[in-house]
Amino acid sequence: VSLLGKSLNLDVKYRNNPIVEIDRKDNKLVLYLPKKYKTIESVQIVNMAIEKMYDEVAEIELENAMEKIRLILGFAPDDYEIERMKNSFYKVKNKVITINPDIVKYSKKVIETTLLGAFCKAQYKANSKAYKEALENGIKEYEAFTFDLIRNNKTTSKIKKVS
């Protein structure tokens, strides 16, 4: 199973609790299923539990990424919604971005750069000069923001080691 760009092993365990739960432990996801599912074809249940996990992670990660991209670009779409789609990570209609929660399978960088493109499409006509300029400037600003973040974290960690 992939989550935020990291491959995690999936361990399925059965117990008397009637609630389906997922816990993350290091590089492993532990899926707890009720014992009544032990005899039933559990692949469908496991897939449903993983989709539910993606939905919950997407709500948190996408909100954070949307805010970060808004700060970088200086504009935002009118609204966004999270909806599972078959063949794309996002769509833009009437300045509203619809995002596929399965995007959280990929790294935060993939999520953020995908949203950067979606923001620009929501603001400008796709393939227009303004769209291309906003996208190019947005990518430059994103890279600068990320570089500054990395540089500041390294400085902070050095200070912590000295004290």
Side-chain angles (χ1 to χ4, degrees):
V1 176
S2 183
L3 182 64
L4 297 175
K6 296 179 182 170
S7 289
L8 304 172
N9 294 323
L10 180 64
D11 189 12
V12 179
K13 295 184 178 189
Y14 298 91
R15 61 185 184 184
N16 287 330
N17 193 340
I19 299 170
V20 176
E21 293 182 22
I22 296 179
D23 287 333
R24 182 174 175 182
K25 296 178 181 178
D26 301 319
N27 289 334
K28 185 193 299 187
L29 282 178
V30 182
L31 174 61
Y32 297 99
L33 295 174
K35 278 191 176 179
K36 69 180 180 179
Y37 294 130
K38 198 168 190 172
T39 57
I40 302 172
E41 180 63 41
S42 61
V43 172
Q44 186 177 5
I45 295 163
V46 169
N47 287 338
M48 287 172 46
I50 291 170
E51 277 189 2
K52 177 76 172 155
M53 176 193 66
Y54 287 150
D55 292 345
E56 291 179 14
V57 171
E59 285 198 28
I60 296 164
E61 290 299 324
L62 290 173
E63 185 175 333
N64 292 337
M66 295 285 285
E67 180 61 16
K68 181 176 181 179
I69 300 305
R70 183 191 67 76
L71 291 171
I72 289 170
L73 293 176
F75 60 85
D78 291 346
D79 200 5
Y80 76 97
E81 53 190 33
I82 300 171
E83 179 184 304
R84 200 163 302 287
M85 295 177 276
K86 285 194 177 198
N87 296 319
S88 68
F89 288 129
Y90 74 91
K91 66 182 177 182
V92 178
K93 187 174 181 180
N94 300 327
K95 295 194 177 198
V96 175
I97 299 174
T98 303
I99 307 159
N100 188 338
D102 291 338
I103 198 168
V104 299
K105 294 177 183 177
Y106 301 94
S107 70
K108 288 184 180 192
K109 183 175 182 176
V110 170
I111 294 168
E112 292 166 351
T113 54
T114 300
L115 289 177
L116 197 144
F119 272 49
C120 291
K121 275 190 180 176
Q123 187 74 13
Y124 305 102
K125 285 187 177 184
N127 299 321
S128 69
K129 185 177 179 180
Y131 167 76
K132 290 175 185 174
E133 287 175 358
L135 191 56
E136 286 175 6
N137 290 334
I139 290 170
K140 287 177 188 172
E141 290 294 322
Y142 175 80
E143 289 171 349
F145 181 87
T146 304
F147 178 76
D148 287 344
L149 196 62
I150 291 169
R151 188 180 64 207
N152 289 335
N153 282 342
K154 286 183 180 176
T155 304
T156 304
S157 64
K158 287 179 184 175
I159 293 169
K160 287 180 183 174
K161 287 179 185 175
V162 172
S163 48

